[in-house]
Amino acid sequence: TSKNVEARIAYTHDTGSVKLVAYQNRIKNLINWLAGGPNGEYYNTNRAKIKGYSLMFDQQFDDLAMWGSVDLTNPRDKETGNRLIRRAAQVYRLGADYRFTNLQVGAEYSWTAKRSDQDFRSSPAEDVTLGSFSLVNLTAKYDFSKSVTATVRWDNVFNKRYEYAYGYNTP
């Protein structure tokens, strides 16, 4: 169960916008994964609090659209004060799309800060740190008509090695 509070302020004009969101989530019995032993197990974090801010912008310049965001979070176990595992404190994103008549091409960049996790191969499980990582993605979209569109997406262009969870490969 959770109680969530969110406040948002936005400035919008003809060709773009800037938005700031502040939020706080208080969660009881947050389901987590404890990596330990041969299979690991699920457990509840009795009380968790996730506070954060998101700053987003988008801007249109004729055929060029740009957007970006900054996400800052502080996810904590309220009883121990420890940071919740697998949750980055900072995530930054930036992207742009350019339209040529029926063809739209785009690029995206994202950076995710380091996160803590657990090494399920050791018994008992040991804390590990998942490194920060950045990704570059490319997109292309072609409108054949109002109802038929083809889209191509190439994620992780530079084939960066990263993990969202320790010991599990990321596609």
Side-chain angles (χ1 to χ4, degrees):
T1 58
S2 64
K3 292 182 181 178
N4 308 304
V5 176
E6 183 176 304
R8 176 182 149 190
I9 186 168
Y11 171 72
T12 303
H13 53 89
D14 291 342
T15 59
S17 66
V18 177
K19 300 172 188 137
L20 175 63
V21 177
Y23 58 90
Q24 178 174 282
N25 304 325
R26 293 177 182 263
I27 306 161
K28 289 183 182 177
N29 297 318
L30 176 67
I31 299 172
N32 288 299
W33 174 254
L34 176 62
N39 298 317
E41 62 185 40
Y42 291 99
Y43 72 97
N44 286 342
T45 298
N46 291 331
R47 296 180 325 147
K49 182 164 83 170
I50 302 172
K51 289 174 31 174
Y53 303 93
S54 294
L55 177 63
M56 300 154 279
F57 82 91
D58 61 87
Q59 182 65 48
Q60 186 75 39
F61 302 99
D62 296 322
D63 293 327
L64 175 67
M66 296 183 68
W67 55 268
S69 66
V70 175
D71 296 302
L72 307 172
T73 61
N74 187 14
R76 296 282 175 185
D77 180 323
K78 285 195 66 171
E79 292 179 351
T80 65
N82 294 335
R83 176 177 291 280
L84 298 175
I85 63 171
R86 299 185 183 149
R87 289 173 170 85
Q90 303 166 356
V91 177
Y92 301 95
R93 294 180 183 92
L94 187 61
D97 295 310
Y98 191 83
R99 179 167 284 285
F100 305 91
T101 315
N102 291 0
L103 175 66
Q104 179 179 314
V105 294
E108 304 167 349
Y109 172 80
S110 67
W111 180 83
T112 301
K114 65 183 179 181
R115 292 99 49 233
S116 65
D117 202 350
Q118 296 176 335
D119 180 355
F120 62 88
R121 294 171 228 179
S122 56
S123 185
E126 294 180 12
D127 290 336
V128 296
T129 298
L130 300 174
S132 63
F133 62 92
S134 58
L135 298 174
V136 174
N137 306 319
L138 299 175
T139 61
K141 180 173 106 172
Y142 188 82
D143 299 326
F144 291 100
S145 69
K146 287 184 180 181
S147 58
V148 178
T149 300
T151 302
V152 176
R153 183 173 178 85
W154 181 6
D155 287 334
N156 194 5
V157 171
F158 298 111
N159 201 26
K160 288 281 196 165
R161 189 183 150 113
Y162 66 100
E163 295 173 310
Y164 285 117
Y166 184 75
Y168 290 91
N169 292 331
T170 303

